[in-house]
Amino acid sequence: QLTSLDFSGAKFKRRAASGFVDAVRACPPLKNLSLAHCGLGQLQESECAAMASLLEHRKGAAGLDALDLSGNFFGMAGFTAMAAVLRTSRLKKLSFSGNSSMLGTTAKLAQPSFHPIQLLIEGVQSNTSLEEINLSGCGIGPDTAFVMEDALHGHPCITTLILKDNPLGEVGLRSIVRCILPESSPVASCNVCGHSEADGSALAIQYRMAQPGGMYRLNLTYPHERATLRLLLRIDERAAGGGLKSFRFDTGPPWPAPEKDPRLGFWIVPTRGIWSFTFYLPLSQAAQKTMLQSSVMLSPWTSEAGKDVPDTPISSRSGTQKIASGGGGVGGGGMNSSGRSWHSAQGEVDLSTGGFICLSTQTSHHKRSLFFQSDNGRFSKEKPRHPRAVKIAAAAAAAAARAANAPPTTKHDWQEVPRLLRDRYIKVSAVRYQLIRSMFLALFTQDEQLRFVRALSKSLMFNAAQATTLSEDRPEIALQTGDALLPGLHDCN
Protein backbone atom coordinates (compact mmCIF):
# COMPACT_ATOMS: atom_id res chain seq x y z
CA GLN A 1 0.00 0.00 0.00
CA LEU A 2 2.53 2.60 -1.20
CA THR A 3 1.06 6.11 -0.93
CA SER A 4 4.18 8.35 -1.25
CA LEU A 5 7.25 8.00 -3.44
CA ASP A 6 10.24 10.38 -3.50
CA PHE A 7 12.43 9.84 -6.55
CA SER A 8 14.17 13.23 -6.35
CA GLY A 9 17.64 13.41 -7.87
CA ALA A 10 17.39 10.08 -9.75
CA LYS A 11 18.47 10.64 -13.34
CA PHE A 12 16.35 8.97 -16.01
CA LYS A 13 18.27 7.65 -18.98
CA ARG A 14 16.96 6.66 -22.39
CA ARG A 15 13.79 4.58 -21.98
CA ALA A 16 13.78 4.50 -18.20
CA ALA A 17 10.99 7.09 -18.07
CA SER A 18 8.45 4.93 -19.90
CA GLY A 19 9.23 1.93 -17.68
CA PHE A 20 8.86 4.08 -14.58
CA VAL A 21 5.46 5.33 -15.75
CA ASP A 22 4.23 1.76 -16.21
CA ALA A 23 5.40 0.85 -12.69
CA VAL A 24 3.61 3.83 -11.14
CA ARG A 25 0.39 3.00 -12.94
CA ALA A 26 0.53 -0.46 -11.42
CA CYS A 27 0.33 1.15 -7.96
CA PRO A 28 -3.15 2.68 -7.65
CA PRO A 29 -2.85 3.73 -3.95
CA LEU A 30 0.04 6.12 -4.76
CA LYS A 31 -0.95 9.71 -3.89
CA ASN A 32 2.26 11.76 -3.62
CA LEU A 33 5.08 11.58 -6.15
CA SER A 34 8.28 13.65 -6.28
CA LEU A 35 10.44 13.67 -9.41
CA ALA A 36 12.42 16.83 -8.62
CA HIS A 37 15.81 17.30 -10.31
CA CYS A 38 15.56 14.11 -12.33
CA GLY A 39 16.78 15.71 -15.55
CA LEU A 40 13.50 15.12 -17.34
CA GLY A 41 13.56 16.75 -20.77
CA GLN A 42 17.26 17.49 -20.74
CA LEU A 43 17.92 14.98 -23.53
CA GLN A 44 14.50 14.51 -25.07
CA GLU A 45 11.06 15.87 -24.26
CA SER A 46 9.38 12.53 -24.78
CA GLU A 47 10.27 11.88 -21.13
CA CYS A 48 8.21 14.91 -20.09
CA ALA A 49 5.23 13.78 -22.15
CA ALA A 50 5.48 10.32 -20.57
CA MET A 51 5.40 11.79 -17.05
CA ALA A 52 2.39 13.89 -17.99
CA SER A 53 0.47 10.70 -18.71
CA LEU A 54 0.65 9.92 -14.98
CA LEU A 55 -2.04 12.56 -14.44
CA GLU A 56 -4.53 10.97 -16.78
CA HIS A 57 -7.69 9.92 -15.04
CA ARG A 58 -8.09 6.14 -15.19
CA LYS A 59 -11.31 4.39 -14.38
CA GLY A 60 -11.14 2.70 -11.01
CA ALA A 61 -8.08 4.70 -9.87
CA ALA A 62 -8.18 7.83 -7.73
CA GLY A 63 -4.97 9.24 -9.27
CA LEU A 64 -2.21 11.40 -7.80
CA ASP A 65 -2.91 14.18 -5.33
CA ALA A 66 0.53 15.85 -5.40
CA LEU A 67 3.24 15.90 -8.08
CA ASP A 68 6.63 17.62 -7.76
CA LEU A 69 8.47 18.17 -11.05
CA SER A 70 10.83 20.91 -9.83
CA GLY A 71 14.20 21.46 -11.42
CA ASN A 72 13.52 19.66 -14.70
CA PHE A 73 13.59 20.75 -18.34
CA PHE A 74 10.00 20.84 -19.55
CA GLY A 75 9.53 22.69 -22.84
CA MET A 76 6.84 23.10 -25.47
CA ALA A 77 6.04 19.41 -25.89
CA GLY A 78 6.10 18.66 -22.17
CA PHE A 79 3.87 21.56 -21.14
CA THR A 80 1.48 20.89 -24.01
CA ALA A 81 1.04 17.32 -22.76
CA MET A 82 0.60 18.52 -19.17
CA ALA A 83 -2.04 21.08 -20.17
CA ALA A 84 -3.99 18.42 -22.06
CA VAL A 85 -4.23 16.04 -19.09
CA LEU A 86 -5.11 18.73 -16.53
CA ARG A 87 -8.69 18.80 -17.81
CA THR A 88 -9.46 15.32 -16.45
CA SER A 89 -6.82 15.17 -13.71
CA ARG A 90 -7.69 15.11 -10.00
CA LEU A 91 -4.32 16.54 -8.97
CA LYS A 92 -4.37 18.98 -6.03
CA LYS A 93 -0.75 20.14 -5.75
CA LEU A 94 1.61 20.76 -8.66
CA SER A 95 5.16 22.15 -8.55
CA PHE A 96 7.40 23.21 -11.42
CA SER A 97 9.73 25.31 -9.28
CA GLY A 98 13.03 26.03 -11.00
CA ASN A 99 12.01 24.55 -14.33
CA SER A 100 14.65 25.34 -16.98
CA SER A 101 12.68 25.21 -20.19
CA MET A 102 15.09 27.55 -21.99
CA LEU A 103 18.21 25.49 -21.25
CA GLY A 104 19.42 22.13 -22.45
CA THR A 105 21.25 20.56 -25.33
CA THR A 106 21.90 21.86 -28.83
CA ALA A 107 18.50 20.62 -29.96
CA LYS A 108 16.88 23.08 -27.55
CA LEU A 109 18.91 26.16 -28.45
CA ALA A 110 16.16 27.25 -30.84
CA GLN A 111 14.21 29.08 -28.16
CA PRO A 112 10.44 29.40 -28.52
CA SER A 113 9.01 32.80 -29.26
CA PHE A 114 7.08 32.76 -25.98
CA HIS A 115 7.62 31.16 -22.60
CA PRO A 116 6.39 27.54 -22.90
CA ILE A 117 5.06 27.52 -19.34
CA GLN A 118 2.24 29.73 -20.62
CA LEU A 119 0.79 26.59 -22.23
CA LEU A 120 0.59 24.92 -18.81
CA ILE A 121 -0.98 27.99 -17.21
CA GLU A 122 -3.50 28.26 -20.01
CA GLY A 123 -4.49 24.63 -19.38
CA VAL A 124 -5.28 25.42 -15.73
CA GLN A 125 -8.53 27.12 -16.80
CA SER A 126 -9.94 23.73 -17.79
CA ASN A 127 -9.03 22.15 -14.43
CA THR A 128 -11.26 22.03 -11.35
CA SER A 129 -9.13 20.19 -8.79
CA LEU A 130 -5.84 22.11 -8.36
CA GLU A 131 -5.48 23.79 -4.97
CA GLU A 132 -1.80 24.74 -4.96
CA ILE A 133 0.59 25.59 -7.79
CA ASN A 134 4.29 26.41 -7.36
CA LEU A 135 6.01 28.20 -10.25
CA SER A 136 8.91 29.75 -8.37
CA GLY A 137 12.03 30.58 -10.34
CA CYS A 138 10.48 29.78 -13.72
CA GLY A 139 11.24 33.08 -15.43
CA ILE A 140 7.64 34.27 -15.36
CA GLY A 141 7.39 37.76 -16.84
CA PRO A 142 4.51 40.22 -17.37
CA ASP A 143 3.13 38.36 -20.41
CA THR A 144 3.03 35.05 -18.52
CA ALA A 145 1.44 36.76 -15.50
CA PHE A 146 -1.21 38.16 -17.83
CA VAL A 147 -1.99 34.63 -19.07
CA MET A 148 -2.32 33.58 -15.43
CA GLU A 149 -4.73 36.44 -14.74
CA ASP A 150 -6.98 35.10 -17.48
CA ALA A 151 -6.56 31.40 -16.63
CA LEU A 152 -7.39 31.80 -12.93
CA HIS A 153 -10.55 33.79 -13.64
CA GLY A 154 -13.36 31.78 -12.10
CA HIS A 155 -11.16 28.86 -11.00
CA PRO A 156 -13.03 27.22 -8.13
CA CYS A 157 -10.26 25.62 -6.07
CA ILE A 158 -6.81 27.25 -6.22
CA THR A 159 -6.02 28.60 -2.77
CA THR A 160 -2.20 28.91 -2.87
CA LEU A 161 0.03 30.57 -5.47
CA ILE A 162 3.81 30.44 -5.07
CA LEU A 163 5.53 32.71 -7.57
CA LYS A 164 8.82 33.54 -5.87
CA ASP A 165 11.97 34.69 -7.70
CA ASN A 166 10.34 35.65 -10.99
CA PRO A 167 10.95 38.78 -13.15
CA LEU A 168 7.36 39.96 -12.82
CA GLY A 169 7.98 43.70 -12.90
CA GLU A 170 5.23 46.18 -12.04
CA VAL A 171 3.00 45.06 -14.92
CA GLY A 172 3.24 41.41 -13.91
CA LEU A 173 2.50 42.23 -10.28
CA ARG A 174 -0.61 44.12 -11.34
CA SER A 175 -1.86 41.06 -13.24
CA ILE A 176 -1.24 38.78 -10.26
CA VAL A 177 -2.99 41.15 -7.86
CA ARG A 178 -6.00 41.56 -10.17
CA CYS A 179 -6.48 37.81 -10.51
CA ILE A 180 -6.58 37.23 -6.74
CA LEU A 181 -8.58 40.32 -5.78
CA PRO A 182 -12.21 39.39 -6.66
CA GLU A 183 -14.36 38.23 -3.77
CA SER A 184 -15.14 35.06 -5.71
CA SER A 185 -11.46 34.10 -5.88
CA PRO A 186 -10.57 31.26 -3.49
CA VAL A 187 -6.89 32.32 -3.32
CA ALA A 188 -5.90 32.74 0.32
CA SER A 189 -2.11 32.84 0.00
CA CYS A 190 0.15 34.32 -2.67
CA ASN A 191 3.93 34.60 -2.43
CA VAL A 192 5.83 36.92 -4.79
CA CYS A 193 9.01 37.29 -2.73
CA GLY A 194 12.21 37.81 -4.66
CA HIS A 195 10.50 39.29 -7.71
CA SER A 196 12.53 41.59 -9.93
CA GLU A 197 12.12 43.92 -12.89
CA ALA A 198 10.85 42.39 -16.11
CA ASP A 199 13.51 41.25 -18.55
CA GLY A 200 13.61 41.77 -22.30
CA SER A 201 12.14 38.36 -23.15
CA ALA A 202 8.60 39.37 -22.16
CA LEU A 203 6.25 40.13 -25.05
CA ALA A 204 4.15 43.30 -25.25
CA ILE A 205 0.55 43.17 -24.00
CA GLN A 206 -1.99 45.18 -25.99
CA TYR A 207 -4.78 45.04 -23.39
CA ARG A 208 -5.27 47.98 -21.00
CA MET A 209 -7.61 47.54 -18.07
CA ALA A 210 -8.42 51.25 -17.67
CA GLN A 211 -9.56 51.59 -21.31
CA PRO A 212 -9.71 48.32 -23.26
CA GLY A 213 -11.15 49.98 -26.37
CA GLY A 214 -8.87 50.39 -29.36
CA MET A 215 -7.44 48.68 -32.42
CA TYR A 216 -6.18 45.12 -32.00
CA ARG A 217 -4.26 42.72 -34.17
CA LEU A 218 -4.00 39.44 -32.27
CA ASN A 219 -1.83 36.54 -33.38
CA LEU A 220 -3.61 33.63 -31.73
CA THR A 221 -0.50 31.45 -31.90
CA TYR A 222 0.63 33.23 -28.73
CA PRO A 223 -1.07 32.38 -25.42
CA HIS A 224 -1.01 35.98 -24.16
CA GLU A 225 -2.84 37.11 -27.32
CA ARG A 226 -5.47 34.41 -26.78
CA ALA A 227 -5.80 35.61 -23.18
CA THR A 228 -6.38 39.14 -24.51
CA LEU A 229 -9.17 37.90 -26.77
CA ARG A 230 -10.86 36.00 -23.95
CA LEU A 231 -10.78 39.09 -21.73
CA LEU A 232 -12.34 41.21 -24.47
CA LEU A 233 -15.02 38.59 -25.05
CA ARG A 234 -15.91 38.67 -21.36
CA ILE A 235 -16.09 42.47 -21.41
CA ASP A 236 -18.28 42.36 -24.50
CA GLU A 237 -20.58 39.85 -22.85
CA ARG A 238 -20.86 41.90 -19.67
CA ALA A 239 -21.26 45.34 -21.28
CA ALA A 240 -23.03 44.61 -24.56
CA GLY A 241 -24.70 41.26 -24.00
CA GLY A 242 -22.23 39.25 -26.10
CA GLY A 243 -22.52 38.35 -29.74
CA LEU A 244 -19.36 40.31 -30.67
CA LYS A 245 -21.36 43.55 -30.57
CA SER A 246 -18.32 45.52 -29.42
CA PHE A 247 -16.09 44.15 -32.20
CA ARG A 248 -15.62 45.88 -35.58
CA PHE A 249 -13.65 43.51 -37.79
CA ASP A 250 -11.37 44.82 -40.51
CA THR A 251 -12.58 42.17 -42.95
CA GLY A 252 -16.08 41.34 -44.11
CA PRO A 253 -18.18 38.32 -43.17
CA PRO A 254 -18.10 35.50 -42.38
CA TRP A 255 -16.81 36.60 -38.97
CA PRO A 256 -15.53 34.18 -36.33
CA ALA A 257 -17.99 32.77 -33.83
CA PRO A 258 -16.22 31.72 -30.60
CA GLU A 259 -18.05 29.41 -28.24
CA LYS A 260 -18.02 28.79 -24.52
CA ASP A 261 -16.88 25.65 -22.80
CA PRO A 262 -20.11 23.86 -21.85
CA ARG A 263 -18.71 22.59 -18.56
CA LEU A 264 -16.77 25.55 -17.12
CA GLY A 265 -18.02 28.50 -19.16
CA PHE A 266 -14.70 29.97 -20.36
CA TRP A 267 -14.35 31.13 -23.96
CA ILE A 268 -12.81 28.67 -26.43
CA VAL A 269 -10.69 30.60 -28.94
CA PRO A 270 -8.64 29.34 -31.92
CA THR A 271 -4.96 28.54 -31.43
CA ARG A 272 -3.87 29.86 -34.81
CA GLY A 273 -4.75 32.68 -37.16
CA ILE A 274 -4.87 36.48 -36.79
CA TRP A 275 -7.83 38.54 -35.60
CA SER A 276 -7.73 42.19 -36.69
CA PHE A 277 -10.49 44.38 -35.27
CA THR A 278 -11.41 47.52 -33.40
CA PHE A 279 -12.89 47.00 -29.96
CA TYR A 280 -15.51 49.67 -29.40
CA LEU A 281 -16.76 50.13 -25.87
CA PRO A 282 -18.51 53.42 -24.87
CA LEU A 283 -17.36 54.95 -21.64
CA SER A 284 -20.94 55.48 -20.48
CA GLN A 285 -24.50 55.30 -21.70
CA ALA A 286 -24.81 59.09 -21.98
CA ALA A 287 -21.61 59.31 -24.03
CA GLN A 288 -22.82 56.56 -26.34
CA LYS A 289 -26.15 58.31 -27.05
CA THR A 290 -24.43 61.63 -27.66
CA MET A 291 -21.94 60.12 -30.07
CA LEU A 292 -24.53 58.20 -32.06
CA GLN A 293 -26.86 61.19 -32.43
CA SER A 294 -24.04 63.57 -33.33
CA SER A 295 -22.68 61.22 -35.99
CA VAL A 296 -26.13 60.95 -37.63
CA MET A 297 -26.81 64.69 -37.61
CA LEU A 298 -23.36 65.66 -38.92
CA SER A 299 -22.92 63.08 -41.67
CA PRO A 300 -23.36 65.52 -44.66
CA TRP A 301 -21.25 68.16 -42.93
CA THR A 302 -18.34 65.83 -42.33
CA SER A 303 -18.53 64.27 -45.78
CA GLU A 304 -18.41 67.61 -47.57
CA ALA A 305 -16.61 70.05 -45.35
CA GLY A 306 -14.46 67.84 -43.20
CA LYS A 307 -12.15 66.93 -46.06
CA ASP A 308 -11.08 70.44 -47.07
CA VAL A 309 -11.53 72.79 -44.12
CA PRO A 310 -8.78 72.75 -41.50
CA ASP A 311 -9.66 73.05 -37.83
CA THR A 312 -8.77 76.70 -37.06
CA PRO A 313 -10.11 79.36 -34.71
CA ILE A 314 -13.28 81.10 -35.89
CA SER A 315 -13.07 84.84 -36.45
CA SER A 316 -15.76 87.48 -35.89
CA ARG A 317 -16.57 90.89 -37.31
CA SER A 318 -18.09 93.96 -35.79
CA GLY A 319 -21.78 93.56 -35.21
CA THR A 320 -21.58 89.80 -35.03
CA GLN A 321 -21.32 87.47 -32.09
CA LYS A 322 -17.89 85.92 -31.49
CA ILE A 323 -18.09 82.21 -32.10
CA ALA A 324 -15.80 79.78 -30.29
CA SER A 325 -14.04 77.05 -32.19
CA GLY A 326 -13.93 73.39 -31.27
CA GLY A 327 -16.50 70.66 -31.23
CA GLY A 328 -18.93 69.69 -28.56
CA GLY A 329 -19.73 66.25 -27.32
CA VAL A 330 -18.29 62.96 -28.39
CA GLY A 331 -17.60 62.81 -32.09
CA GLY A 332 -16.92 66.53 -32.54
CA GLY A 333 -20.44 67.99 -32.79
CA GLY A 334 -23.65 68.62 -30.92
CA MET A 335 -25.95 71.14 -29.29
CA ASN A 336 -24.62 73.44 -26.62
CA SER A 337 -25.96 73.45 -23.08
CA SER A 338 -28.66 76.03 -23.86
CA GLY A 339 -29.91 74.18 -26.93
CA ARG A 340 -29.65 77.37 -29.03
CA SER A 341 -26.69 76.60 -31.25
CA TRP A 342 -25.09 73.76 -33.13
CA HIS A 343 -21.33 73.48 -33.11
CA SER A 344 -18.76 71.22 -34.67
CA ALA A 345 -15.01 71.20 -35.16
CA GLN A 346 -15.45 73.67 -38.05
CA GLY A 347 -17.82 76.29 -36.58
CA GLU A 348 -21.08 77.08 -34.84
CA VAL A 349 -24.58 77.83 -36.08
CA ASP A 350 -26.63 80.18 -33.89
CA LEU A 351 -30.22 78.99 -34.10
CA SER A 352 -31.69 81.74 -31.92
CA THR A 353 -31.14 84.59 -34.44
CA GLY A 354 -32.68 83.02 -37.50
CA GLY A 355 -29.70 80.98 -38.56
CA PHE A 356 -26.64 83.26 -38.57
CA ILE A 357 -23.71 81.20 -39.87
CA CYS A 358 -20.07 82.10 -39.60
CA LEU A 359 -17.48 79.95 -41.30
CA SER A 360 -13.81 80.68 -41.44
CA THR A 361 -10.69 79.09 -42.83
CA GLN A 362 -7.14 80.19 -42.43
CA THR A 363 -3.99 79.30 -44.30
CA SER A 364 -0.41 80.42 -43.93
CA HIS A 365 -0.96 83.25 -46.43
CA HIS A 366 -4.36 84.79 -45.79
CA LYS A 367 -7.73 84.37 -44.09
CA ARG A 368 -11.02 83.76 -45.89
CA SER A 369 -14.46 84.26 -44.41
CA LEU A 370 -18.04 83.65 -45.52
CA PHE A 371 -21.06 85.26 -43.80
CA PHE A 372 -24.77 84.55 -44.31
CA GLN A 373 -27.76 85.92 -42.49
CA SER A 374 -31.44 85.01 -42.33
CA ASP A 375 -34.06 86.52 -44.66
CA ASN A 376 -35.23 88.85 -41.89
CA GLY A 377 -32.00 90.82 -41.92
CA ARG A 378 -29.51 92.20 -44.33
CA PHE A 379 -27.54 89.84 -46.51
CA SER A 380 -23.82 90.45 -46.72
CA LYS A 381 -21.26 88.32 -48.41
CA GLU A 382 -17.55 88.59 -48.81
CA LYS A 383 -16.54 86.86 -51.99
CA PRO A 384 -15.22 83.46 -51.01
CA ARG A 385 -12.11 82.17 -52.55
CA HIS A 386 -12.40 78.70 -51.04
CA PRO A 387 -13.52 76.30 -53.81
CA ARG A 388 -15.94 74.47 -51.53
CA ALA A 389 -17.38 77.44 -49.67
CA VAL A 390 -20.87 77.13 -51.18
CA LYS A 391 -21.07 73.42 -50.41
CA ILE A 392 -19.84 74.08 -46.89
CA ALA A 393 -22.58 76.65 -46.30
CA ALA A 394 -25.26 74.38 -47.76
CA ALA A 395 -24.15 71.45 -45.60
CA ALA A 396 -24.12 73.65 -42.50
CA ALA A 397 -27.59 75.00 -43.27
CA ALA A 398 -28.92 71.47 -43.75
CA ALA A 399 -27.36 70.40 -40.47
CA ALA A 400 -28.91 73.40 -38.72
CA ALA A 401 -32.34 72.57 -40.13
CA ARG A 402 -32.09 68.97 -38.95
CA ALA A 403 -30.89 70.15 -35.56
CA ALA A 404 -33.92 72.43 -35.21
CA ASN A 405 -36.36 69.61 -35.98
CA ALA A 406 -34.53 66.82 -34.16
CA PRO A 407 -35.20 65.93 -30.52
CA PRO A 408 -32.83 67.53 -28.01
CA THR A 409 -29.38 66.00 -28.04
CA THR A 410 -28.48 64.02 -24.96
CA LYS A 411 -26.39 66.21 -22.70
CA HIS A 412 -23.22 65.02 -21.06
CA ASP A 413 -23.89 63.54 -17.66
CA TRP A 414 -21.05 65.16 -15.73
CA GLN A 415 -22.08 63.28 -12.62
CA GLU A 416 -20.75 60.19 -14.35
CA VAL A 417 -17.21 61.57 -14.50
CA PRO A 418 -16.19 60.75 -10.89
CA ARG A 419 -17.61 57.27 -11.26
CA LEU A 420 -15.78 56.73 -14.54
CA LEU A 421 -12.53 57.82 -12.93
CA ARG A 422 -13.11 55.50 -10.00
CA ASP A 423 -13.94 52.57 -12.26
CA ARG A 424 -10.35 52.42 -13.49
CA TYR A 425 -9.45 51.30 -9.97
CA ILE A 426 -10.53 48.15 -8.16
CA LYS A 427 -11.82 48.77 -4.66
CA VAL A 428 -10.07 46.59 -2.08
CA SER A 429 -12.46 44.89 0.31
CA ALA A 430 -11.62 44.20 3.93
CA VAL A 431 -11.21 40.46 3.27
CA ARG A 432 -8.89 40.81 0.27
CA TYR A 433 -6.94 43.60 1.97
CA GLN A 434 -5.53 41.10 4.46
CA LEU A 435 -4.16 39.05 1.56
CA ILE A 436 -2.58 42.13 -0.05
CA ARG A 437 -1.04 43.14 3.27
CA SER A 438 0.41 39.68 3.91
CA MET A 439 2.03 39.76 0.45
CA PHE A 440 3.50 43.18 1.25
CA LEU A 441 4.86 42.13 4.64
CA ALA A 442 6.57 39.06 3.15
CA LEU A 443 8.79 41.17 0.87
CA PHE A 444 12.38 41.62 2.05
CA THR A 445 14.13 44.39 0.13
CA GLN A 446 13.01 47.97 -0.35
CA ASP A 447 13.18 47.56 -4.12
CA GLU A 448 10.61 44.77 -3.92
CA GLN A 449 8.42 46.73 -1.53
CA LEU A 450 8.44 49.92 -3.63
CA ARG A 451 7.79 47.98 -6.83
CA PHE A 452 4.85 46.25 -5.17
CA VAL A 453 3.43 49.56 -3.88
CA ARG A 454 3.69 51.16 -7.33
CA ALA A 455 1.89 48.18 -8.82
CA LEU A 456 -0.90 48.54 -6.25
CA SER A 457 -1.27 52.26 -6.94
CA LYS A 458 -1.97 51.66 -10.65
CA SER A 459 -4.88 49.25 -10.17
CA LEU A 460 -6.29 49.35 -6.64
CA MET A 461 -8.31 51.81 -4.58
CA PHE A 462 -7.72 51.79 -0.82
CA ASN A 463 -9.47 53.65 1.93
CA ALA A 464 -7.57 55.93 4.31
CA ALA A 465 -7.26 53.33 7.07
CA GLN A 466 -5.89 50.68 4.72
CA ALA A 467 -3.33 53.05 3.19
CA THR A 468 -2.26 54.24 6.64
CA THR A 469 -1.71 50.68 7.84
CA LEU A 470 0.43 49.84 4.80
CA SER A 471 2.53 52.95 5.43
CA GLU A 472 3.00 52.06 9.08
CA ASP A 473 3.98 48.48 8.23
CA ARG A 474 7.09 49.77 6.47
CA PRO A 475 7.99 53.09 8.13
CA GLU A 476 11.25 53.36 6.16
CA ILE A 477 9.25 53.83 2.94
CA ALA A 478 6.14 55.39 4.51
CA LEU A 479 6.49 58.62 2.50
CA GLN A 480 6.77 56.82 -0.86
CA THR A 481 3.88 54.52 0.05
CA GLY A 482 1.60 57.42 0.94
CA ASP A 483 2.47 59.35 -2.22
CA ALA A 484 1.79 56.33 -4.41
CA LEU A 485 -1.54 55.35 -2.83
CA LEU A 486 -2.94 58.86 -2.35
CA PRO A 487 -4.53 59.24 -5.86
CA GLY A 488 -6.53 56.05 -5.35
CA LEU A 489 -7.92 56.78 -1.89
CA HIS A 490 -11.66 56.73 -1.36
CA ASP A 491 -13.99 57.40 1.54
CA CYS A 492 -14.85 54.08 3.14
CA ASN A 493 -18.13 55.51 4.41
Side-chain angles (χ1 to χ4, degrees), residues 288-301:
Q288 183 183 20
K289 290 181 179 179
T290 302
M291 183 181 63
L292 292 176
Q293 192 164 3
S294 299
S295 62
V296 171
M297 297 171 69
L298 276 179
S299 56
W301 168 271

Side-chain angles (χ1 to χ4, degrees), residues 447-463:
D447 287 340
E448 296 176 35
Q449 297 163 6
L450 290 174
R451 191 179 300 111
F452 187 75
V453 168
R454 289 194 297 268
L456 297 180
S457 67
K458 300 292 181 58
S459 299
L460 307 186
M461 179 185 291
F462 296 90
N463 60 41

Side-chain angles (χ1 to χ4, degrees), residues 115 131 276 325 341 433 436:
H115 200 311
E131 298 176 0
S276 183
S325 64
S341 64
Y433 171 73
I436 298 296

Side-chain angles (χ1 to χ4, degrees), residues 255-459:
W255 293 311
E259 299 179 352
K260 277 189 170 184
D261 182 86
R263 186 169 64 101
L264 299 177
F266 62 87
W267 287 98
I268 302 174
V269 300
T271 56
R272 59 176 59 88
I274 295 177
W275 280 31
S276 183
F277 58 89
T278 300
F279 190 74
Y280 164 79
L281 193 66
L283 285 175
S284 64
Q285 187 175 6
Q288 183 183 20
K289 290 181 179 179
T290 302
M291 183 181 63
L292 292 176
Q293 192 164 3
S294 299
S295 62
V296 171
M297 297 171 69
L298 276 179
S299 56
W301 168 271
T302 55
S303 62
E304 295 293 335
K307 297 180 181 178
D308 300 309
V309 180
D311 188 7
T312 57
I314 302 301
S315 64
S316 63
R317 293 201 172 191
S318 59
T320 63
Q321 183 180 358
K322 185 175 180 63
I323 299 176
S325 64
V330 182
M335 299 286 290
N336 68 359
S337 59
S338 63
R340 300 175 58 140
S341 64
W342 173 269
H343 53 89
S344 70
Q346 285 75 24
E348 184 168 348
V349 178
D350 190 354
L351 303 179
S352 62
T353 60
F356 183 84
I357 304 172
C358 176
L359 301 172
S360 170
T361 64
Q362 184 175 2
T363 65
S364 59
H365 302 290
H366 53 272
K367 178 186 258 186
R368 305 165 183 171
S369 299
L370 177 65
F371 292 87
F372 292 93
Q373 197 169 0
S374 65
D375 296 334
N376 297 329
R378 295 171 55 189
F379 173 83
S380 64
K381 176 179 178 183
E382 184 178 315
K383 183 178 180 180
R385 286 178 288 173
H386 196 286
R388 285 188 173 269
V390 176
K391 291 185 178 181
I392 293 172
R402 287 193 300 272
N405 298 326
T409 306
T410 305
K411 298 180 181 180
H412 292 290
D413 187 359
W414 291 106
Q415 295 182 352
E416 289 183 328
V417 174
R419 180 182 59 80
L420 293 174
L421 294 176
R422 288 195 302 268
D423 284 349
R424 69 179 297 268
Y425 294 95
I426 304 175
K427 186 177 293 187
V428 181
S429 65
V431 176
R432 308 315 288 177
Y433 171 73
Q434 298 303 324
L435 175 58
I436 298 296
R437 187 186 180 194
S438 65
M439 295 172 64
F440 181 57
L441 292 174
L443 302 177
F444 296 106
T445 67
Q446 285 193 13
D447 287 340
E448 296 176 35
Q449 297 163 6
L450 290 174
R451 191 179 300 111
F452 187 75
V453 168
R454 289 194 297 268
L456 297 180
S457 67
K458 300 292 181 58
S459 299

